[in-house]
Amino acid sequence: MIRSLRVAALAVVLALAATAAAERARADELQLPPAETILAQTPAHARSESPGPTGLTRRDLWFGIGTLAGVAIAAPFDERIKDAFPNTSGKGKRLADAVRPLGSTTVVGGTLLLGWGACKLFHNEQLGHAAVRSGISLVAAGVVALGAKVIVGRSRPRDEPNDPSRFQPFSGNASFPSGHATISMAAATALSRETKAAWVPFVAYPAAALVGWSRLRDNEHWLSDVIGGFAVGYWVTDRTEDFLRARWGNSTPFGVTVTPGDAGPMLGMNVKF
């Protein structure tokens, strides 16, 4: 149990470190006057660095290096951490069952869809745009994670309990990166980006960390899978949010309208490129 708590503490520390980095990068953005241009609404880290030929900045490079280092440092401890959770039906099961849905595409996506519908119902366009941006960011993160799973082809600890280094690209094995860790961190990042409430990151990121812990406890992923998922979820969401805001400001690339018709309400969609 003590070792299990240490694993959970490690995941929380990693998540809070990501929170601090995100908040520092956005500090200048929150102080900008509202009359600034759309470009000025992009976070300070994106404005202060010119992207290279690939569209990536030095910040992206350093984040990639840090991710590789984190995965490399965690990898030698994968089997040891797995052994810290010998019984998936033992202590902590209730907590794991409670937080696991926070990394489910069905639950997170359904929540965003319901939130968007409520915003349309009560005519809160800004919150509706925030829900759409968050949804696009989560889809992007999920697609990247799914592609990485297919390419890497790592076996899950329940399938190869004594061999965390078993990789078979395009084999159907899908351990790296953790999809639940990716989605939970993407949701936490999007929520933190879309609100100015100072307390949100200190709830959202630890909640994502607990989702990662639940995947370790359930013997579904190695520690390095979870760290890789956190990195994918944070980076893809952060960059997608930057892109959407730089291109469309505080609106979204498309909108749905509801107009009365002879046979009842008619749905329409506006798409901006």
Side-chain angles (χ1 to χ4, degrees):
M1 181 63 179
I2 296 299
R3 286 196 289 180
S4 299
L5 291 175
R6 288 175 180 172
V7 174
L10 173 62
V12 171
V13 168
L14 290 171
L16 290 178
T19 303
E23 292 307 303
R24 283 198 300 269
R26 294 167 51 219
D28 292 341
E29 178 193 11
L30 299 180
Q31 299 174 0
L32 287 175
E36 291 293 333
T37 62
I38 290 178
L39 179 60
Q41 294 171 4
T42 305
H45 62 75
R47 297 196 312 274
S48 61
E49 298 182 16
S50 298
T54 61
L56 302 179
T57 65
R58 284 183 299 173
R59 177 176 177 272
D60 296 317
L61 176 62
W62 282 113
F63 186 84
I65 293 174
T67 297
L68 291 175
V71 171
I73 292 172
F77 299 95
D78 279 339
E79 191 171 357
R80 188 180 305 176
I81 295 299
K82 186 265 299 179
D83 292 339
F85 301 94
N87 185 358
T88 58
S89 61
K91 294 181 179 180
K93 184 179 187 302
R94 185 173 299 178
L95 176 59
D97 291 342
V99 300
R100 190 184 307 110
L102 299 178
S104 166
T105 54
T106 302
V107 172
V108 175
T111 301
L112 284 174
L113 186 59
L114 288 174
W116 175 85
C119 292
K120 299 298 286 187
L121 180 63
F122 293 103
H123 306 289
N124 192 326
E125 291 299 324
Q126 288 305 313
L127 283 179
H129 292 322
V132 172
R133 283 192 297 268
S134 299
I136 295 173
S137 298
L138 261 68
V139 169
V143 168
V144 171
L146 182 61
K149 284 175 174 287
V150 173
I151 294 172
V152 174
R154 190 184 197 184
S155 297
R156 294 181 184 271
R158 67 167 187 262
D159 298 324
E160 294 290 343
N162 299 316
D163 190 5
S165 61
R166 187 174 180 81
F167 297 89
Q168 293 178 299
F170 305 100
S171 63
N173 295 327
S175 190
F176 184 91
S178 166
H180 278 70
T182 299
I183 296 301
S184 62
M185 182 58 74
T189 304
L191 186 61
S192 298
R193 287 293 304 266
E194 294 293 347
T195 181
K196 293 183 180 180
W199 59 268
V200 169
F202 296 98
V203 174
Y205 285 109
L210 284 175
V211 173
W213 166 82
S214 74
R215 302 308 282 166
L216 296 173
R217 189 207 163 280
D218 292 344
N219 203 31
E220 291 289 338
H221 286 286
W222 307 98
L223 176 62
S224 52
D225 297 338
V226 171
I227 293 177
F230 282 160
V232 170
Y234 174 80
W235 182 79
V236 174
T237 301
D238 192 56
R239 287 306 304 266
T240 303
E241 285 270 350
D242 285 350
F243 172 80
L244 293 174
R245 289 177 177 273
R247 189 172 182 86
W248 289 287
N250 288 325
S251 64
T252 50
F254 63 87
V256 177
T257 59
V258 181
T259 57
D262 295 336
M266 299 179 63
L267 294 178
M269 179 174 290
N270 299 319
V271 182
K272 298 180 295 183
F273 294 99

